[in-house]
Amino acid sequence: MKPHVFRLSFRVALLLGCLLLAASLLLPPGALSAAEAPRSAPLRATLLLEHEQASPWNDLLLTGLERARRDFGMETAVVYAPKGTDQAAALRKAAAESDLVLVASDGLHEVLRNNAANFRRTLFGCVDAGVRAPNIMSVTFADEQAAFLAGAAAALLTQAKLPGINAAATIGWLSGEDTPAMRSLFSGFAEGAQLAAPEVRVVQAVVGSFTDGETAAAKTAGLLGAGADVVALAAGAGNAAALARLKAADAYLVGLDTDQAPAYPGHTLLSIVKRADNAVYEIAASAASPRFRGKEIVVYGLANGGVDVAGLSAFLAAAGKGAPESIGRRVGELRRELENGSIRLHSLRARTLCDCL
């Protein structure tokens, strides 16, 4: 009887093994991802940045990461991967050592798209672009909406009788780099200006880098020389040097990312606000939850508060009679038209870099 019992047990074991193998082959990729496994240790999150220089954008990202560390007990790290270095190697190293890796710049978006599939058990967060893959959650921005309102307000300001406003009816835009996100912002800004005041001329300059303050200042001087008395600064860490040129010319500022009024009180018309801090926090919250929201691309816009314009009411109140209240009323009307779909803007940003299965 013993040999017979042995053969029966062997057959049962063989059958069970085959069933387990078949079940594992039927599971979809990522079904055994780290996001769905119980965690006994704190989640390790790494934020990749392209430079260490202070900028409102970086500050927002770091604020969101710190909130996530505090609220979810995460172990957080910041790694700098500048352009011109091996950014792919930096991302792969972070992916091998972390549970969650976050990127939020144009160059690193491309690196993420090309490498995420090699790290199926690592979760990724993509901020300011969309990459659709099972282990990536993205948050991007309909920031052309806020830029549209800013352009309208800037165009209307050229018609006000304030110090520094001349008869040229010209407004300017300074981009740090020529990226899809910057093109989309400028397009919205120009459309808003042309709708609010068709006679206003919109001029643009591109620095070539988000860290080159010297060139940003020179390009700003060129915009002022072209007659611009209101300039939107979107040059990243180069904004500080550019702002110094605006102050010397007594020109007016449209800020970006956060409310820039404290940096130039009395002359900051408004700021285009992008809640990158909330984007980082929302992705981190998803990573800390039982099921990660992979393949999801969340769009932050005016309707959900992910983008906005800040500071216009305070500026108009401080300016007094020189800046008519009609600017605020007209911007409010345009905002409602955007939110109810009466005005539709075309985004030039790359919302989805790829749809990786």
Side-chain angles (χ1 to χ4, degrees):
M1 287 296 293
K2 287 184 180 180
H4 178 68
V5 171
F6 172 79
R7 285 194 299 272
L8 180 61
S9 299
F10 176 77
R11 288 171 181 167
V12 170
L14 182 62
L15 178 61
L16 288 173
C18 291
L19 289 172
L20 287 172
L21 177 60
S24 67
L25 292 174
L26 289 172
L27 285 173
L32 299 178
S33 70
E36 297 180 5
R39 297 187 183 279
S40 57
L43 193 81
R44 300 165 298 170
T46 298
L47 172 65
L48 288 184
L49 297 177
E50 286 196 333
H51 63 82
E52 298 185 56
Q53 293 175 250
S55 68
W57 181 252
N58 278 8
D59 291 346
L60 285 168
L61 298 170
L62 293 169
T63 297
L65 186 66
E66 172 57 23
R67 280 179 57 204
R69 183 202 65 77
R70 184 180 63 245
D71 290 356
F72 306 122
M74 292 182 171
E75 293 180 358
T76 59
V78 179
V79 172
Y80 298 97
K83 286 190 173 181
T85 64
D86 193 343
Q87 292 183 316
L91 183 133
R92 288 193 292 266
K93 185 175 186 296
E97 297 175 352
S98 310
D99 302 302
L100 172 66
V101 177
L102 298 130
V103 302
S105 58
D106 195 62
L108 289 169
H109 294 151
E110 298 285 344
V111 173
L112 172 63
R113 178 193 66 184
N114 296 336
N115 288 272
N118 297 321
F119 298 91
R120 292 296 185 94
R121 293 184 63 82
T122 301
L123 308 178
F124 294 93
C126 182
V127 178
D128 212 20
V131 182
R132 200 183 301 278
N135 58 339
I136 301 175
M137 177 181 171
S138 302
V139 177
T140 189
F141 298 88
D143 44 15
E144 67 277 0
Q145 298 175 344
F148 179 89
L149 298 179
L156 293 170
L157 185 64
T158 65
Q159 303 170 351
K161 296 178 180 179
L162 288 175
I165 297 293
N166 56 52
T170 301
I171 61 176
W173 178 280
L174 182 71
S175 289
E177 296 180 11
D178 182 21
T179 66
M182 287 291 105
R183 284 181 224 130
S184 196
L185 277 165
F186 174 68
S187 175
F189 184 77
E191 283 191 55
Q194 289 161 7
L195 178 63
E199 70 279 8
V200 168
R201 186 166 66 107
V202 184
V203 291
Q204 181 192 25
V206 179
V207 177
S209 168
F210 285 113
T211 60
D212 186 351
E214 183 177 352
T215 303
K219 294 283 187 178
T220 301
L223 293 171
L224 295 169
D229 41 39
V230 187
V231 180
L233 297 183
N239 280 348
L243 181 58
R245 290 296 177 95
L246 289 190
K247 290 179 177 179
D250 200 31
Y252 291 85
L253 168 69
V254 171
L256 183 66
D257 296 332
T258 60
D259 188 355
Q260 296 300 300
Y264 195 16
H267 277 66
T268 302
L269 171 62
L270 52 68
S271 296
I272 300 165
V273 174
K274 297 172 62 173
R275 297 307 304 268
D277 53 337
N278 287 352
V280 168
Y281 186 84
E282 184 170 354
I283 294 169
S286 178
S289 71
R291 188 171 183 85
F292 184 65
R293 291 154 60 188
K295 298 195 76 171
E296 185 170 343
I297 299 177
V298 179
V299 180
Y300 280 9
L302 286 174
N304 58 22
V307 302
D308 211 333
V309 288
L312 178 60
S313 297
F315 172 81
L316 294 175
K321 295 180 180 179
E325 293 182 3
S326 59
I327 296 178
R329 287 197 300 271
R330 183 59 177 141
V331 169
E333 291 168 359
L334 292 173
R335 181 193 185 103
R336 288 188 290 275
E337 290 186 50
L338 284 170
E339 290 180 334
N340 66 26
S342 298
I343 296 177
R344 296 183 181 275
L345 302 175
H346 178 59
S347 175
L348 301 181
R349 66 166 56 247
R351 289 196 186 278
T352 307
L353 292 174
C354 70
D355 193 344
C356 312
L357 298 178

